[in-house]
Amino acid sequence: MTIEVISNVKEEGRLISRCIEKYGYFPEHNYYYYRMLEESGAENRFIRIDNKYGILGQFYPSQKEWYFITGVIAPEKKRAEILMEVIRYCLNGRGSKIAIDCTGDFWRIMGKRISETRGLRAIRPRFILYWPVFDMKKWDGYSLRGRRWKKLRNTLNRFYKKHNVRVVNSADVPKEKLSKVVDDWVKQRRMMDYGYDRKDSNMEYYERYHNLVNSGFEGMKFAKTLVVDGVPSTITCGWEIPNIEKGYYSGVGIYNYKFEGMGEAANIDDLKRLKRAGYEHVDFGGSPKPLLDFKRKFRYHDVYKTYTFTVLKK
């Protein structure tokens, strides 16, 4: 098995995109999302295997730590074997530990394999995310009719009655105004003690959203903003999930919390748009348990978990 670490992911964008197009399967398997994640202290390093498979990796030089973003981009039968080889490679003088994201089934497979491997130790998952999924053929929230939608319907009626609301393309909004949406969102999350990614205990990880705004939403689909009483107040966008027929990942949902009901309005607006566009499988993104409770009101149909665990040398 040949392993190559590619440091210049911008220059090799076509190569990485081809790998994702052919073998990607998870919502976060997206080249532009990967670029967005490169924050202070982190270096994107794509790990290429046998000149065709890959891992969306990051390296933190100051800690000599690796982070592998949700799974090996390869056929399912090859993923465990590839990951074991890459773990050995990256811990052989190239890093002190590796944080790895994976689904529950894969965690059980890898945890067992690592525990049986001499010289390696897997620390049990330190972080769990819950990913709600909508079957849009069954989703009946477009008109919000019926008793089961009454509470949400009333919330949205109050919101639209009190405020003047327009939906615009996010790329048409001045970047400084959207950056303020991000900053206000982060401040409110801190006050509520809510996390929003795998580094849930550290509330500073939000550069990715400024990167998104500054890129002009490159590679994103349906990037929309609600302008409430003249103030740009939300950002929602996502992309199609590779190799999932009519699958879409609503990967970004940010709002400034200034108006009651705005979060509900932004999410329902997003879901209705995706329903109109003909998507059948909509993933609403990973959340810590408290934020899953908020998403529950939109009546998703299923939920799965991802785990973040760490591998060290013994």
Side-chain angles (χ1 to χ4, degrees), residues 11 18 35 38 44 47 55 82 88 93 106-107 113 117 141 148 150 164 169 175 190 195 215 261 263 308:
E11 186 175 289
R18 280 201 303 265
R35 289 276 306 278
E38 194 162 33
N44 280 1
I47 302 170
I55 292 175
I82 288 172
R88 293 189 188 97
F106 197 65
W107 149 245
R113 291 190 66 159
T117 301
R148 67 200 300 263
K150 182 178 179 181
N164 180 285
N169 292 326
K175 291 179 180 178
R190 285 181 180 147
S215 76
T308 300

Side-chain angles (χ1 to χ4, degrees), residues 75-300:
E76 186 173 3
K77 291 181 179 179
K78 295 179 177 291
R79 292 171 197 163
E81 177 190 358
I82 288 172
L83 185 56
M84 286 302 303
E85 288 298 317
V86 174
I87 286 171
R88 293 189 188 97
Y89 179 88
C90 289
L91 289 180
N92 187 20
R94 297 174 181 85
S96 59
K97 65 180 180 179
I98 306 170
I100 302 171
D101 292 338
C102 63
T103 59
D105 290 343
F106 197 65
W107 149 245
R108 284 183 282 275
I109 292 169
M110 292 309 302
K112 186 173 186 298
R113 291 190 66 159
I114 292 167
S115 68
E116 294 171 351
T117 301
R118 186 175 180 179
L120 295 179
R121 178 165 65 99
I123 298 175
R124 291 190 65 81
R126 61 182 183 180
F127 197 71
I128 300 173
L129 289 180
Y130 299 82
W131 299 68
V133 176
F134 294 81
D135 181 342
M136 298 305 282
K137 286 184 175 180
K138 298 178 181 178
W139 187 70
D140 62 347
Y142 198 92
S143 60
L144 297 177
R145 292 177 181 171
R147 190 171 181 178
R148 67 200 300 263
W149 292 103
K150 182 178 179 181
K151 187 173 181 180
L152 183 56
R153 184 171 65 242
N154 289 342
T155 297
L156 294 177
N157 286 341
R158 286 193 298 271
F159 173 72
Y160 283 105
K161 185 176 180 179
K162 289 181 180 179
H163 305 288
N164 180 285
V165 183
R166 292 186 297 120
V167 182
V168 301
N169 292 326
S170 298
D172 295 336
V173 179
K175 291 179 180 178
E176 63 273 14
K177 293 187 177 181
L178 292 182
S179 291
K180 189 174 188 315
V181 174
V182 174
D183 292 338
D184 289 344
W185 178 72
V186 171
K187 288 176 186 175
Q188 187 65 29
R189 287 295 179 92
R190 285 181 180 147
M191 290 172 61
M192 298 167 69
D193 197 29
Y194 278 1
Y196 45 87
D197 63 19
R198 291 160 184 76
K199 297 180 175 66
D200 188 42
S201 61
N202 188 333
M203 302 302 296
E204 300 300 326
Y205 284 81
Y206 59 89
E207 285 181 48
R208 62 194 63 180
Y209 302 110
H210 286 298
N211 293 342
L212 175 66
V213 169
N214 291 333
S215 76
F217 299 90
E218 185 179 12
M220 300 294 107
K221 194 159 189 176
F222 301 126
K224 300 294 181 180
T225 289
L226 298 189
V227 179
V228 184
D229 298 336
V231 179
S233 299
T234 73
I235 304 171
T236 57
C237 64
W239 51 85
E240 294 179 353
I241 304 171
N243 299 308
I244 301 294
E245 186 177 2
K246 297 183 180 179
Y248 184 90
Y249 179 38
S250 186
V252 177
I254 295 172
Y255 45 96
N256 62 15
Y257 287 94
K258 292 188 183 301
F259 308 105
E260 184 179 357
M262 186 164 53
E264 288 85 348
N267 281 287
I268 285 293
D269 176 75
D270 189 36
L271 284 166
K272 287 182 176 181
R273 183 173 298 105
L274 299 177
K275 177 91 169 177
R276 290 195 300 270
Y279 292 104
E280 296 178 2
H281 173 102
V282 173
D283 194 309
F284 238 39
S287 302
K289 195 67 178 288
L291 294 184
L292 182 68
D293 293 336
F294 172 76
K295 294 179 181 181
R296 188 171 282 116
K297 65 181 66 181
F298 306 112
R299 300 190 177 276
Y300 53 80

